[in-house]
Structure formats: structure tokens, C-alpha cells
Amino acid sequence: MTHLVVLVLLAAALLAMARAQRPSALASAQGTTYACAGYVALTFDDGPSSNTPAVLDALRRNGLKATFFLVGRNVQEHPDLARLVVEAGMHVGNHTMDHAHLPALTQAAMREELTQTSALIETTTGQRPVWFRPPFGETTPAVEATARGLGMTQVIWSRDTKDWAGRSVDDIVQVVAQVHPGDVVLMHDAQRAAVPALARIAEVLRSRHLCSGQLDYSSKAEPAWDGLTYHALAGPWR
């Protein structure tokens, strides 16, 4: 009996040691060795593009995840690249069919922009978008209501890297260095600076024990700019 008790205690001790040494599922998935103190959502607009494979490779090499807001016309032209995004374990969102100025469209045309894009993305990648981002951040209550009626939540951003304006890698990294847990960062995967920036972005996040996360719905309205709000926050990647 004494021998059996010793074996049980030894097994329990070994199990406890294994649990203590095993990294969390999130840390392992992120390629890190630290506990995440918070999450930041990296998002890329306007793809897929010829630069998408390089961006995906940089994300993989640096243990990062991101959400890609795809333009329908680009998905039509590069279906293989759209599939590559999902195969790489990333999430995809709806960024309209033609990168349209939605507030200038009729209700019917607006709805068609979103409906056609979601159907195309799902057919191409197997993933149906649940997130929608209006091009240029231009939105109205009607735009948001249309997206919601199609099963999507509108998301803007809280940090704009302005990479679309040709900002340098240093400039892009400086924006990300100012993030807070829950922030949503805007980037564009066609911008060449994205690739070298991602390695340094990963370093910045690690230095603050932050992890790249997915978009999660927030019941609280999160501020964007000029009174514009959206219902999303960064959370653990699932």
C-alpha cells in the first residue's frame, strides 16, 4: 500500500511539473514564450495583392496573426491569394466589391456591394465574413445597418499607420508602439513597407507582453474619430 501511495504521489508531482512547464495554447500559437497581458488586432485592407504572400510569410515568421479586409474585385483577380490568406490561418473581412464610397450609393447599390463581396469571399475561401470595414472609413447609420442586416459587424480602427500615404517603416512602427490593449491597427497589405515593419512590430508587442489577436464584438461603442464609433475589440485568437 505504501508503495502504491508513493507511485501516486510521484505521478501527481510529474503531472504538475508538466503543466507548469507547458506554455499556454495562445502563447504556443503565437510563437512566444510569455503570457499575454493584452491583445492588439492587426488588420490589412485592400487585398489580396501581389504583396500578400510576403505579408503572410512575415506574419508567420514573427508569430503574428491578422485580419484581412478583402476587396471583391481583387478576390476575383487573385482567388489563389485569397485562399492563401485563409490557409495561413488568418481571418477575412468584407471591404466591398469595388472599394466604393458607400454613402454616395443608393441603398440597393450599397447592399449589392456587400452581398456580392461576402458571397465571393465565401465561395473562394470557404470563410464567410462576419466583419465589414467601409472603404476610407466612410460610413453612415444606413451603411452600418445594411452590414448588420447581412450578418456583419462594422469595424473601423483606433490606430492608423497611414502606410497608404507612403510612410516609412519607422513611422509605421512608431504608431504601433503607442497601442493599448484592445486597439485595432490599420495597415494595407499592398504596401511594401508592411513586410519589414512586421518584424519590428512583433518586437514592440513582445516588449510590452502584448499579442496579436482577433476581432471580438464589443457591446461598448469604441471610439474611432470625430464621434465615429464601432463595436469591436482585440481579443485572444481562436
Side-chain angles (χ1 to χ4, degrees), residues 172-180 201 204 208:
I172 293 170
V173 174
Q174 183 58 38
V175 171
V176 180
Q178 299 172 27
V179 298
H180 299 294
I201 285 172
V204 167
R208 298 178 56 192

Side-chain angles (χ1 to χ4, degrees), residues 32-191:
T32 62
T33 56
Y34 60 87
C36 298
Y39 303 90
V40 174
L42 302 177
T43 65
F44 288 87
D45 282 9
D46 299 354
S49 72
S50 60
N51 199 44
T52 299
V55 171
L56 291 173
D57 184 59
L59 289 168
R60 179 191 58 78
R61 285 187 284 104
N62 291 286
L64 300 172
K65 293 285 191 178
T67 299
F68 288 71
F69 286 91
L70 306 181
V71 174
R73 295 298 179 199
N74 292 341
V75 174
Q76 282 184 325
E77 293 178 14
H78 307 288
D80 53 331
L81 297 182
R83 283 190 290 270
L84 193 63
V85 172
V86 172
E87 290 169 358
M90 308 302 165
H91 293 170
V92 292
N94 185 321
H95 201 42
T96 76
M97 195 67 190
D98 302 294
H99 206 265
H101 292 274
L102 293 177
L105 301 182
T106 65
Q107 179 66 33
M110 181 195 309
R111 184 180 179 85
E112 180 65 16
E113 280 278 343
L114 274 59
T115 302
Q116 190 176 1
T117 306
S118 284
L120 181 61
I121 290 174
E122 183 175 22
T123 300
T124 304
T125 71
Q127 189 179 119
R128 185 165 185 83
V130 296
W131 297 102
F132 154 72
R133 174 172 283 160
F136 315 103
E138 295 177 348
T139 188
T140 65
V143 170
E144 184 172 13
T146 299
R148 187 167 57 248
L150 295 171
M152 295 182 290
T153 299
Q154 176 178 273
V155 57
I156 312 296
W157 55 81
S158 55
R159 301 285 176 174
D160 184 357
T161 64
K162 291 185 168 55
D163 57 348
W164 50 267
R167 295 294 177 87
S168 69
V169 171
D170 286 343
D171 291 335
I172 293 170
V173 174
Q174 183 58 38
V175 171
V176 180
Q178 299 172 27
V179 298
H180 299 294
D183 269 345
V184 178
V185 178
L186 172 65
M187 299 179 71
H188 295 78
D189 69 326
Q191 299 300 319

Side-chain angles (χ1 to χ4, degrees), residues 22-38:
R22 184 178 61 199
S24 69
L26 178 66
S28 176
Q30 297 284 47
T32 62
T33 56
Y34 60 87
C36 298

